[in-house]
Amino acid sequence: MNLKNALFEKINFNEDELKVILGSFEKESIIKGEHIIKTGKTCDKLYYIKEGIFRSYYINESGKDITQWFFNDGKFMTSIESFYQQKPSLYNIQALEDAVVYSINRKKLDTLFNTYPKAERFGRLLAIEMLIKVSNKLNAIQFQKAKERYEYMITEFPNIYYRVPLGYIASYLGMTQETLSRIRKK
Amino acid sequence: MNLKNALFEKINFNEDELKVILGSFEKESIIKGEHIIKTGKTCDKLYYIKEGIFRSYYINESGKDITQWFFNDGKFMTSIESFYQQKPSLYNIQALEDAVVYSINRKKLDTLFNTYPKAERFGRLLAIEMLIKVSNKLNAIQFQKAKERYEYMITEFPNIYYRVPLGYIASYLGMTQETLSRIRKK
DNA sequence: ATTATTTTTTGATTTATATCAAAGGATTGC
DNA sequence: GCAATCCTTTGATATAAATCAAAAAATAAT
């Protein structure tokens, strides 16, 4: 899906609005393995993924790499609390495949929010959509057995689960890669 | 905190705006144990809690009562995906103490959103705030031991953890009440 | 192609927490 | 004030998943 359709899906922007909004984004190419934001830095951009897969992750106190979320094409992505509250990011975000994205910085986005109430609404709907997804993951993680968590993964990310390293999925689901490997065998 | 200050905390509404917005809310009293929304019903109201504590919960496939979230005074509360997407609620929300709330229905809120871009912005900031909190819980639940999860609870809900039944906290944290009881002993 | 590196699988053992069961405490209602 | 609920604690046992270790498979580099 392209950015225009992604915007249109939630809000009926008119042609003029679309022109300005689309014009505020810049195209970027990112190669596999590259980071768009690192822990400790303040994230200044919101991204729309045209092609590719990304993950957010952090290294915990015991040195383990923990994947927090996957972002695939057609979705918006940022280090939320860093971008919106302009404070250091707790997460790294890394491309898992060569990717093409459209980005907008905080300043330009604020201008859009101030100029077009519809843009503000789009932002609100996007936040709510993400909130519901995170809640769903929480429910899956909180009370389900390892096998059911993997089933949740397949439902939530049907286009991703077979494309990214098993270890990343395991930590995303709150289990070790050995456990996930054993589950997959069945 | 009162509703006016809660609004003012995020957005500099002017006097006229505040008057209309505050006038759109209705005061309600709810007694301990009562439900403001039940599973399967569509939630039509957003609440501001002036006094009291609430919890959202559901009964899972094996019949267990699982607390999903706690809401205390000074916070906004609703069954998010039900209220915003107008579909049946997955959760019940119940008062754990006698409570006083201010409520606004979806229709009136939409009018406010359409009339005052600042209200829309308030809605966006509220959604983001909640999103960050849910993410924090997810990180606590996903990779921490039972003891650390209880410490997260104390940090996130310093005014609640000693006021609600231990069983509710246990399921909120993804553990059994026996485990939580043993942790508390220390 | 061959080596080097990364990722996944498999096995043996340990551990945190769930489950089952029952006894104590604390509240609520009459 | 006593009975009836409800909530919390304690103990014994079971279990899902973590940990540790190493082999096998897949991918990338020379």
Side-chain angles (χ1 to χ4, degrees):
Chain A
M1 200 195 300
N2 62 25
L3 177 52
K4 188 174 172 179
N5 291 133
L7 294 168
F8 222 73
E9 201 175 49
K10 292 201 169 55
I11 301 283
N12 273 322
F13 291 105
N14 64 37
E15 282 305 315
D16 290 344
E17 289 163 343
L18 276 175
K19 205 177 152 189
V20 177
I21 294 171
L22 292 173
S24 304
F25 281 82
E26 283 172 30
K27 188 175 180 177
E28 293 182 41
S29 291
I30 295 156
I31 60 170
K32 183 175 174 174
E34 219 178 308
H35 286 81
I36 56 164
I37 174 73
K38 286 206 165 181
T39 306
K41 305 271 178 191
T42 299
C43 182
D44 189 48
K45 288 180 180 170
L46 174 74
Y47 298 85
Y48 172 77
I49 307 170
K50 172 70 181 144
E51 285 172 43
I53 300 180
F54 292 77
R55 67 169 183 134
S56 61
Y57 71 98
Y58 60 97
I59 307 298
N60 77 359
E61 323 80 48
S62 28
K64 274 197 188 158
D65 173 318
I66 310 227
T67 294
Q68 193 229 11
W69 204 261
F70 292 104
F71 302 91
N72 60 320
D73 54 283
K75 298 288 188 306
F76 287 88
M77 156 180 83
T78 188
S79 178
I80 295 160
E81 88 295 356
S82 176
F83 181 73
Y84 284 113
Q85 303 185 346
Q86 290 294 103
K87 58 186 192 189
S89 179
L90 300 169
Y91 310 105
N92 306 284
I93 300 183
Q94 179 189 39
L96 300 180
E97 295 179 349
D98 290 347
V100 177
V101 301
Y102 291 88
S103 70
I104 182 170
N105 66 29
R106 182 66 203 267
K107 200 176 161 195
K108 280 187 181 169
L109 185 64
D110 278 341
T111 306
L112 291 182
F113 282 161
N114 290 327
T115 317
Y116 305 112
K118 281 190 200 169
E120 186 87 52
R121 173 160 303 176
F122 185 85
R124 180 171 65 81
L125 297 179
L126 203 61
I128 289 168
E129 187 181 79
M130 194 68 201
L131 175 52
I132 292 170
K133 280 192 185 167
V134 177
S135 300
N136 288 341
K137 181 185 168 184
L138 187 52
N139 291 334
I141 293 280
Q142 191 167 358
F143 268 97
Q144 298 191 344
K145 295 266 153 68
K147 189 171 163 241
E148 296 157 320
R149 277 183 255 162
Y150 183 58
E151 284 156 8
Y152 149 81
M153 173 78 196
I154 294 173
T155 314
E156 182 71 70
F157 296 106
N159 310 311
I160 291 186
Y161 76 96
Y162 55 89
R163 280 204 274 170
V164 305
L166 171 143
Y168 294 167
I169 296 177
S171 73
Y172 172 81
L173 294 176
M175 65 183 78
T176 60
Q177 61 175 1
E178 292 93 331
T179 297
L180 182 53
S181 173
R182 286 182 244 262
I183 286 167
R184 262 194 179 169
K185 206 167 63 171
K186 297 173 199 164
Chain B
M1 200 194 301
N2 62 27
L3 177 53
K4 188 174 171 179
N5 291 132
L7 293 169
F8 222 73
E9 203 176 51
K10 291 200 172 55
I11 301 283
N12 274 322
F13 290 107
N14 65 39
E15 282 306 315
D16 290 345
E17 290 163 342
L18 275 175
K19 206 176 150 188
V20 177
I21 293 172
L22 293 172
S24 305
F25 281 82
E26 284 173 27
K27 189 175 180 175
E28 293 182 40
S29 290
I30 295 156
I31 60 169
K32 184 176 173 174
E34 219 178 307
H35 286 81
I36 56 166
I37 174 72
K38 286 205 165 184
T39 306
K41 306 270 179 193
T42 298
C43 183
D44 189 48
K45 289 178 181 172
L46 174 73
Y47 297 85
Y48 173 77
I49 306 171
K50 171 72 181 141
E51 285 172 43
I53 300 180
F54 292 77
R55 67 169 185 133
S56 60
Y57 72 98
Y58 61 96
I59 307 298
N60 77 0
E61 324 78 50
S62 28
K64 276 197 187 156
D65 173 318
I66 312 234
T67 294
Q68 194 229 9
W69 204 262
F70 292 104
F71 302 91
N72 60 318
D73 55 283
K75 297 288 188 306
F76 288 87
M77 157 180 82
T78 188
S79 178
I80 295 159
E81 88 295 359
S82 176
F83 180 74
Y84 285 113
Q85 303 186 347
Q86 291 293 105
K87 56 185 191 188
S89 178
L90 299 169
Y91 309 104
N92 305 285
I93 301 183
Q94 179 189 39
L96 299 180
E97 295 178 351
D98 289 349
V100 177
V101 300
Y102 291 88
S103 70
I104 182 169
N105 65 30
R106 181 64 204 266
K107 199 176 162 195
K108 279 187 182 170
L109 185 65
D110 278 341
T111 306
L112 292 181
F113 282 160
N114 290 329
T115 318
Y116 305 113
K118 280 190 198 170
E120 185 87 51
R121 174 161 302 177
F122 185 86
R124 179 171 65 81
L125 297 179
L126 203 62
I128 288 169
E129 188 181 77
M130 193 69 199
L131 174 53
I132 292 170
K133 281 192 184 165
V134 176
S135 300
N136 287 342
K137 181 184 169 186
L138 187 53
N139 290 334
I141 293 278
Q142 190 168 359
F143 267 96
Q144 298 192 344
K145 295 267 151 68
K147 188 170 164 245
E148 296 158 318
R149 277 183 255 164
Y150 184 58
E151 284 157 8
Y152 149 82
M153 173 78 197
I154 294 173
T155 314
E156 182 72 70
F157 296 107
N159 310 309
I160 291 186
Y161 76 95
Y162 55 89
R163 282 203 272 170
V164 305
L166 171 143
Y168 294 167
I169 296 176
S171 73
Y172 173 81
L173 294 176
M175 63 183 79
T176 61
Q177 60 175 0
E178 291 93 331
T179 296
L180 182 52
S181 173
R182 285 182 245 261
I183 286 167
R184 264 195 178 169
K185 207 167 62 171
K186 296 177 199 161

